[in-house]
């Protein structure tokens, strides 16, 4: 039973390029959460999605960032026109519909470096 | 005031001692509380959760919750060098969403 799968593990982008981060939830999980961890900081909530629906995007920057979780395929966190300040570890977590909030499993993360 | 506050440490304890990690939160309506462990360069790993006032024990770990004081703690008994990591306190501010508010984390160093 595979855990939450994130890819790529490491991603290097030049300033101005686009970054696409993928997250495949655990089998049977239909809820996905994205968090960002800047260097030497704690995790910050970004967005909570269910299949084909954004539930809570209160932590998403207003510009350049978007997320989706289509009916088929992984959840995608997309960052357009990346800047140096986007360099961080991005973690995805998933949970089943009936699970209480918060006790979820994180993927291994994508470490984005903007050069 | 930060929503979830932790002392960043490092907290240094000798091997075999009890490590005590503390966390306060500002939202009095918070429903559930979590402790995650994060090794350097790795993803956070859930080690304890607690919903009700009092103590909850799991092996060498005890989580303590005091909602009146808005205080959560994690005790690690018989600390081992392998417990050296950053411990993240997380709070779910509402039972209606899965959103977690994390503290900055406390770095624990267990010295052999």
């Amino acid at each position: 039973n595979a855990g939450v799968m994130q890819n790529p593990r490491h991603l290097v982008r030049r300033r101005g390029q686009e970054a696409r981060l993928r997250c495949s939830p655990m089998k049977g999980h239909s809820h996905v959460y994205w968090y960002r961890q800047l260097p030497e900081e704690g995790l910050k909530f970004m967005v909570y999605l269910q299949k084909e629906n954004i539930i809570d995007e209160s932590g998403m920057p207003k510009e350049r960032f978007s997320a989706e979780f289509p009916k088929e395929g992984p959840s995608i966190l997309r960052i357009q026109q990346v800047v140096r300040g986007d360099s961080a570890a991005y973690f995805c977590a998933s949970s089943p519909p009936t699970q209480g909030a918060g006790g979820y499993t994180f993927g291994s993360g994508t470490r984005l470096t903007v050069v | 005031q930060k929503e979830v506050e932790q002392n960043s440490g490092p907290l240094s304890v000798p091997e075999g001692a009890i490590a005590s990690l503390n966390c306060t939160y500002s939202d009095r309506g918070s429903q559930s509380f979590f402790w995650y462990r994060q090794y350097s360069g790795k993803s956070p790993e859930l080690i304890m959760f607690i919903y009700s006032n009092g103590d909850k024990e799991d092996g060498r770990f005890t989580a303590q919750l005091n909602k009146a004081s808005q205080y959560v703690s994690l005790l690690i008994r018989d600390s081992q060098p392998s417990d050296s990591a950053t411990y993240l306190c997380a709070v779910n501010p509402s039972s209606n969403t899965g959103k977690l508010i994390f503290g900055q984390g406390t770095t624990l160093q267990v010295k052999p």
Side-chain angles (χ1 to χ4, degrees):
Chain A
N1 186 15
V4 179
M5 305 298 291
Q6 289 188 251
N7 65 80
R9 292 289 298 272
H10 300 275
L11 182 62
V12 179
R13 284 287 177 266
R14 296 186 186 278
R15 281 177 294 170
Q17 290 184 319
E18 178 179 289
R20 291 171 68 90
L21 288 61
R22 296 176 196 79
C23 170
S24 296
M26 290 179 69
K27 188 175 181 181
H29 288 192
S30 57
H31 296 200
V32 165
Y33 313 83
W34 285 93
Y35 286 79
R36 176 167 66 174
Q37 187 171 36
L38 293 167
E40 308 302 325
E41 292 191 16
L43 277 84
K44 302 293 186 189
F45 169 80
M46 299 183 76
V47 63
Y48 164 33
L49 309 106
Q50 296 176 14
K51 289 274 187 184
E52 301 184 283
N53 200 11
I54 297 174
I55 305 302
D56 182 350
E57 57 181 346
S58 58
M60 288 282 271
K62 294 288 185 281
E63 297 178 349
R64 302 187 298 109
F65 285 73
S66 62
E68 63 175 4
F69 189 15
K71 186 176 181 181
E72 301 291 336
S75 175
I76 305 287
L77 179 66
R78 184 180 176 206
I79 311 172
Q80 295 178 294
Q81 299 177 305
V82 295
V83 300
R84 289 247 171 90
D86 297 332
S87 295
Y90 292 82
F91 293 101
C92 167
S94 72
S95 70
T98 54
Q99 181 169 316
Y104 36 63
T105 302
F106 284 94
S108 53
T110 293
R111 279 140 185 92
L112 172 66
T113 302
V114 180
V115 297
Chain B
Q1 181 189 5
K2 290 181 180 177
E3 293 182 85
V4 179
E5 291 206 57
Q6 296 180 255
N7 188 324
S8 61
L11 172 66
S12 183
V13 301
E15 184 175 356
I18 295 175
S20 178
L21 303 157
N22 305 314
C23 172
T24 58
Y25 60 95
S26 61
D27 183 351
R28 190 170 285 278
S30 297
Q31 300 290 321
S32 45
F33 308 85
F34 304 83
W35 284 99
Y36 284 81
R37 177 176 62 198
Q38 187 175 28
Y39 293 110
S40 181
K42 301 295 184 182
S43 60
E45 172 192 8
L46 178 66
I47 53 173
M48 289 285 291
F49 62 89
I50 187 166
Y51 301 143
S52 305
N53 276 329
D55 294 1
K56 179 181 179 182
E57 187 174 319
D58 183 1
R60 295 188 295 114
F61 298 97
T62 299
Q64 299 175 318
L65 173 61
N66 184 327
K67 289 187 178 180
S69 300
Q70 295 173 241
Y71 178 90
V72 194
S73 65
L74 179 70
L75 301 178
I76 306 175
R77 288 181 298 282
D78 188 24
S79 295
Q80 301 297 309
S82 59
D83 294 326
S84 298
T86 297
Y87 289 80
L88 301 170
C89 172
V91 174
N92 175 239
S94 164
S95 60
N96 293 327
T97 78
K99 175 180 178 178
L100 287 183
I101 309 297
F102 281 83
Q104 296 276 79
T106 298
T107 299
L108 173 66
Q109 296 173 348
V110 180
K111 297 191 180 299

